[in-house]
Amino acid sequence: MNITLPDKSVRELPEGSTGYDLARDIGPGLAKSAVAVIVDGEKKDLCDVLPENSEVSIITIDSDDGLEIMRHTLTAQVLAKALKNLYPDSHLAIGPTIDDGFYYDVETKKSISVDDLSDIEKEMQNIIKSKSSITKKLFSKKDALKVFKNLKEPYKESIISESDQKEDFQLYYQDNDNFVDLCRGPHLPSLSFIGSFKLTKISGAYWKGDSKNKMLTRIYGTAWNTEKELNSYLTAIDEAEKRDHRKLGKEMDLFHFQEEAPGMVFWHPYGWTIYRQLQNYVRERLEENDYLEINTPQVVDRKLWEASGHWDKYRENMFITEIDEEHANDKRVNALKPMNCPCHVQIYNQGIKSYRDLPLRYAEFGSCHRYEPSGTMHGLMRVRGFTQDDGHIFCTENQIESETEKFIELLSRVYRDLGFESFEIKLSTRPEVRVGSDEVWDKAESALESAIKNLGHPYEIVEGDGAFYGPKLDFVLTDAIGREWQCGTFQADFNLPERLDAEFIGEDGKKHHPVMIHRAVLGSFERFIGILIENYSGKLPLWLAPQQVVVASIVSDANEYVNEIVSKLKEEGIRCESDLRNEKISYKVREHSLKKVPIIFAIGKKEVAENTVSVRKIGNKDSVIKPLSEAIKEISKENSI
RNA sequence: GCUCAUAUAGCUCAGCGGUAGAGCACUUGCUUGGUAAGUAAGAGGUCACCGGUUCAAGUCCGGUUAUGAGCUCCA
């Protein structure tokens, strides 16, 4: 039979040849490192018989596909077997690969904890030492079910019985052993290909990801071809932990949380300075873009939430308050606003609006509260009390496109200024359940899409992921270590203006409902500041840094000059402090460097005599001596963006 | 909300049945030192909260709250 290789060359092999035979035919080196094959685009085991006239490429252990297969074999054949050896009464569920590693879900009688991981690792090493080869057999549905019924593996049974497949269930075996795993494969031909690995964490996970189902134990691990790669991965994880905003927030004295107000931020002076800088910056951009800043109540009667539909659909996420009878004659039920939109419509609804008033852009730094489930909170990233850089644009259908363009331009400017050079756009289109006619949806979706196209920005369409009230754009930025954060959003809404009776008088003299666009660039100040801290590892750009300059004396004779410098810097609007403590300069430098102060002035006898400053910038080991006036000029320049 | 873990001095952590410990930070003394930790002394804790076991509980057990890692959720 003839097999076509990736370079289009054709090889002739005897009937019934396998991927391994092909590899051996090409060369002994390849045969040694081959772990699987891709047959007509599908990954197959090396032991599978190749079909006539197929296109085949060989996966070697050192390729990305090879690594993934190794991780897969490690979890399904080694971790699973180790678990069965150590906990014979456990039931195996599934064991897929993920980025950088793998996990296995298992149900155990006795709960497994992190302390058990090293024992499990040891058992895995024992299994790997056997260097067993892995073989597979094909079973019919009926026979496969029988096998797993005998093995008392209900999850495997359920996978098989729910499959549409009738024949060819693949069961994998190791030498001289009764361990069996059901798997779509492919697997390594032998355990000798397993590289370096480490079990990393343990947690619960619902069977099939459904919170109604039983919770299983999930064991996570990471695996690499070499010890070196494993170590550099583990180091990278440590580095990421070092920039955790919760840790840096404590070290830099930015904010804290406490038990009495879970999920609500206590902003310290330095943290609040960052917040204010960011807010001032956004406010300037909003003013440039013809937004009108407003402010609306935080505690609002349930009647409004009933009218907006939130009471029905969102109540379990709302903080509800009751006013006690001592304080009010009739008992009222209020809710802390989880969103600003209904309140913005109330402002829109004051007075009659004409088509000439549109588009009307309201913006609010809206303080919102949402009762997030307890397990979902995470530092500044997911909180219960937060402030959105929220805005609502009331416009006609015809104005959606130009408003979209204007918004994307605003957002790109903001992200660029904040240090995020690129972002992705996701366009979510109509879901199954929705309000509004198809005609309106057609119009809105194409308005959003052509706005992005006009600006030449790449985008991705997510079919059916729009809200029930309209299509939306999501903006995802990438941080310094490659993580993605969905921050900006732009959502057309055909529902709320109608529900809350927002109207305008059109050119035809008749009343119409405007389209309402919900939009945010940062999303929430709290979360965005968390992202900024992590992106910069706490070393914020000068204009955002809470303390911009610390002026530290080297000898106490310089104290007077230090105070003079501080007041001059303050006159220039530079945030600075003096450090006159009775400590050595290296001690002061170390301390302020750890607090990520961007600029340290060290002032000794020489500087006093020459009216200069010794400037040390964060990240630099060297300092530069320059005249005070020059130093101030440079900092002021860098400070204005 | 679910699973597992954690909660001891301002911070980072040790102690794991016999009436609290380290390093750093803090205060004071000495030191005036040139770019990432000068030195000595001192002060600082209802061991998250509530209950139980025990002659005796940070220490063992149960509950509550918060936090962490995941899962689920984020109209």
Side-chain angles (χ1 to χ4, degrees):
Chain A
M1 64 180 182
N2 292 325
I3 300 297
T4 311
L5 298 174
D7 65 359
K8 299 295 166 203
S9 67
V10 176
R11 269 188 189 254
E12 205 182 314
L13 290 170
E15 284 303 311
S17 291
T18 64
Y20 181 70
D21 296 330
L22 173 66
R24 208 173 37 185
D25 189 54
I26 298 171
L30 186 61
K32 230 183 219 172
S33 65
V35 292
V37 282
I38 300 177
V39 180
D40 296 329
E42 215 180 317
K43 288 181 199 162
K44 293 281 190 183
D45 279 301
L46 214 53
C47 61
D48 285 331
V49 172
L50 299 172
E52 178 68 37
N53 292 327
S54 48
E55 285 189 23
V56 180
S57 62
I58 291 173
I59 300 175
T60 56
I61 185 66
D62 50 12
S63 67
D64 288 350
D65 281 335
L67 179 58
E68 157 132 27
I69 291 167
M70 187 270 274
R71 287 170 177 160
H72 188 194
T73 301
L74 184 57
T75 184
Q77 287 288 318
V78 181
L79 175 52
K81 186 171 168 183
L83 289 168
K84 288 299 276 189
N85 289 353
L86 294 172
Y87 311 95
D89 57 2
S90 60
H91 303 302
L92 300 172
I94 51 164
T97 56
I98 48 175
D99 285 352
D100 309 321
F102 56 87
Y103 65 77
Y104 210 105
D105 284 352
V106 63
E107 185 189 342
T108 52
K109 282 227 173 70
K110 175 189 162 286
S111 69
I112 301 177
S113 79
V114 273
D115 301 330
D116 301 316
L117 290 182
S118 61
D119 288 341
I120 300 172
E121 273 179 14
K122 267 183 214 133
E123 184 61 22
M124 289 170 75
Q125 296 292 7
N126 282 339
I127 293 166
I128 293 166
K129 253 185 240 154
S130 74
K131 296 192 177 171
S132 290
S133 52
I134 296 171
T135 52
K136 78 171 171 188
K137 289 180 196 159
L138 299 180
F139 282 74
S140 69
K141 189 167 200 165
K142 209 174 110 193
D143 292 340
L145 278 172
K146 212 185 279 170
V147 170
F148 288 106
K149 192 170 187 94
N150 287 336
L151 289 167
K152 298 201 173 73
E153 293 288 7
Y155 296 102
K156 298 291 179 191
E157 277 185 71
S158 129
I159 294 166
I160 296 167
S161 58
E162 282 168 32
S163 164
D164 298 333
Q165 204 176 317
K166 293 258 158 46
E167 293 296 328
D168 294 343
F169 284 88
Q170 305 190 112
L171 272 60
Y172 288 84
Y173 296 82
Q174 294 173 25
D175 296 341
N176 312 319
D177 199 283
N178 50 9
F179 177 77
V180 192
D181 187 46
L182 168 77
C183 194
R184 105 165 47 86
H187 273 309
L188 300 175
S190 149
L191 296 182
S192 58
F193 286 99
I194 302 278
S196 297
F197 71 96
K198 184 173 169 23
L199 297 181
T200 49
K201 56 195 170 193
I202 203 159
S203 80
Y206 299 108
W207 168 235
K208 288 187 186 161
D210 187 334
S211 59
K212 288 190 211 80
N213 287 341
K214 192 159 193 161
M215 184 155 281
L216 310 172
T217 304
R218 176 170 296 178
I219 297 167
Y220 286 89
T222 182
W224 302 85
N225 282 327
T226 63
E227 183 86 27
K228 203 174 156 193
E229 287 167 297
L230 173 66
N231 286 335
S232 72
Y233 170 77
L234 295 173
T235 317
I237 298 284
D238 287 347
E239 288 301 315
E241 269 168 28
K242 276 187 203 149
R243 57 171 79 209
D244 188 312
H245 74 282
R246 294 166 299 185
K247 185 171 141 65
L248 287 167
K250 209 175 269 172
E251 286 169 7
M252 295 168 69
D253 194 15
L254 303 178
F255 57 84
H256 84 271
F257 290 92
Q258 66 184 50
E259 226 175 296
E260 289 81 356
M264 319 266 182
V265 188
F266 289 77
W267 284 105
H268 297 13
Y270 290 149
W272 190 243
T273 303
I274 300 173
Y275 187 109
R276 274 167 40 230
Q277 285 301 117
L278 188 60
Q279 193 178 62
N280 291 343
Y281 167 81
V282 172
R283 184 171 275 134
E284 282 169 26
R285 299 289 82 71
L286 290 172
E287 280 172 9
E288 275 168 13
N289 282 270
D290 302 314
Y291 282 84
L292 307 169
E293 188 175 331
I294 56 176
N295 196 267
T296 60
Q298 293 185 38
V299 181
V300 179
D301 195 288
R302 70 181 272 183
K303 288 193 207 93
L304 182 65
W305 305 114
E306 281 167 354
S308 70
H310 288 88
W311 195 259
D312 264 358
K313 291 216 171 71
Y314 204 72
R315 181 155 36 139
E316 62 181 33
N317 283 298
M318 288 161 71
F319 279 96
I320 313 286
T321 69
E322 281 187 19
I323 295 177
D324 174 319
E325 281 170 80
E326 277 179 50
H327 300 96
N329 289 332
D330 47 350
K331 228 177 186 179
R332 292 175 61 143
V333 176
N334 296 284
L336 267 69
K337 68 174 171 189
M339 296 172 199
N340 306 300
C341 28
C343 291
H344 286 199
V345 178
Q346 304 316 302
I347 292 184
Y348 177 92
N349 283 354
Q350 297 300 113
I352 292 172
K353 297 291 182 294
S354 148
Y355 71 95
R356 296 173 199 274
D357 296 320
L358 306 183
L360 188 52
R361 306 183 191 90
Y362 288 140
E364 177 174 6
F365 297 119
S367 176
C368 294
H369 294 267
R370 294 182 188 171
Y371 189 83
E372 300 287 355
S374 57
T376 60
M377 273 148 2
H378 181 90
L380 295 175
M381 301 301 191
R382 184 118 173 224
V383 286
R384 285 183 175 160
F386 56 97
T387 308
Q388 292 176 309
D389 63 321
D390 202 6
H392 293 93
I393 302 169
F394 294 88
C395 65
T396 64
E397 286 167 26
N398 293 330
Q399 290 167 333
I400 297 176
E401 185 173 330
S402 58
E403 287 306 307
T404 310
E405 269 188 50
K406 274 178 79 91
F407 177 75
I408 296 174
E409 282 174 337
L410 166 63
L411 176 132
S412 330
R413 160 82 196 275
V414 172
Y415 285 4
R416 200 170 51 241
D417 284 348
L418 292 167
F420 302 101
E421 285 303 325
S422 66
F423 58 89
E424 280 171 34
I425 304 179
K426 288 184 182 159
L427 166 60
S428 297
T429 58
R430 67 196 77 185
E432 303 244 327
V433 184
R434 57 180 184 266
V435 299
S437 66
D438 284 354
E439 195 195 332
V440 177
W441 277 87
D442 286 342
K443 214 167 166 180
E445 284 170 4
S446 68
L448 295 183
E449 191 164 3
S450 50
I452 310 170
K453 279 186 180 157
N454 294 345
L455 296 170
H457 201 288
Y459 64 101
E460 182 192 326
I461 293 180
V462 192
E463 297 284 351
D465 202 39
F468 74 90
Y469 50 71
K472 65 168 179 177
L473 301 179
D474 285 321
F475 299 85
V476 183
L477 56 81
T478 307
D479 75 7
I481 54 171
R483 292 174 302 182
E484 297 195 328
W485 302 93
Q486 201 268 110
C487 294
T489 185
F490 188 88
Q491 311 187 3
D493 187 344
F494 317 127
N495 175 249
L496 202 60
E498 202 171 319
R499 279 194 83 120
L500 295 178
D501 303 319
E503 289 170 336
F504 68 93
I505 313 292
E507 281 179 79
D508 56 6
K510 290 181 187 147
K511 286 181 175 174
H512 303 272
H513 292 297
V515 175
M516 184 177 183
I517 296 166
H518 309 256
R519 43 110 290 157
V521 176
L522 307 182
S524 113
F525 278 92
E526 287 74 5
R527 179 163 174 271
F528 205 90
I529 291 171
I531 294 169
L532 282 172
I533 293 169
E534 300 204 353
N535 181 62
Y536 287 109
S537 292
K539 293 175 204 150
L540 295 167
L542 189 70
W543 69 278
L544 279 169
Q547 295 164 284
Q548 298 180 305
V549 181
V550 167
V551 187
S553 59
I554 297 171
V555 290
S556 51
D557 287 347
N559 288 0
E560 202 182 318
Y561 181 47
V562 167
N563 286 329
E564 199 184 305
I565 295 170
V566 167
S567 37
K568 281 201 175 140
L569 287 167
K570 282 190 173 158
E571 274 169 33
E572 296 299 315
I574 294 162
R575 296 184 288 281
C576 67
E577 286 172 32
S578 63
D579 184 352
L580 305 176
R581 290 175 304 169
N582 177 16
E583 297 292 350
K584 290 203 164 168
I585 190 63
S586 50
Y587 179 93
K588 295 184 186 182
V589 166
R590 174 184 151 82
E591 192 161 282
H592 298 118
S593 298
L594 287 173
K595 296 232 160 157
K596 324 285 186 199
V597 176
I599 298 168
I600 299 168
F601 285 181
I603 309 299
K605 285 183 182 133
K606 204 159 73 180
E607 287 75 13
V608 174
E610 295 169 1
N611 207 36
T612 55
V613 291
S614 165
V615 183
R616 181 186 167 121
K617 292 198 176 183
I618 192 154
N620 285 2
K621 277 222 159 76
D622 305 321
S623 54
V624 183
I625 296 185
K626 48 182 82 170
L628 174 60
S629 55
E630 193 183 308
I632 293 180
K633 209 182 283 170
E634 279 174 21
I635 293 169
S636 297
K637 196 176 158 202
E638 196 184 335
N639 197 14
S640 57
I641 58 157

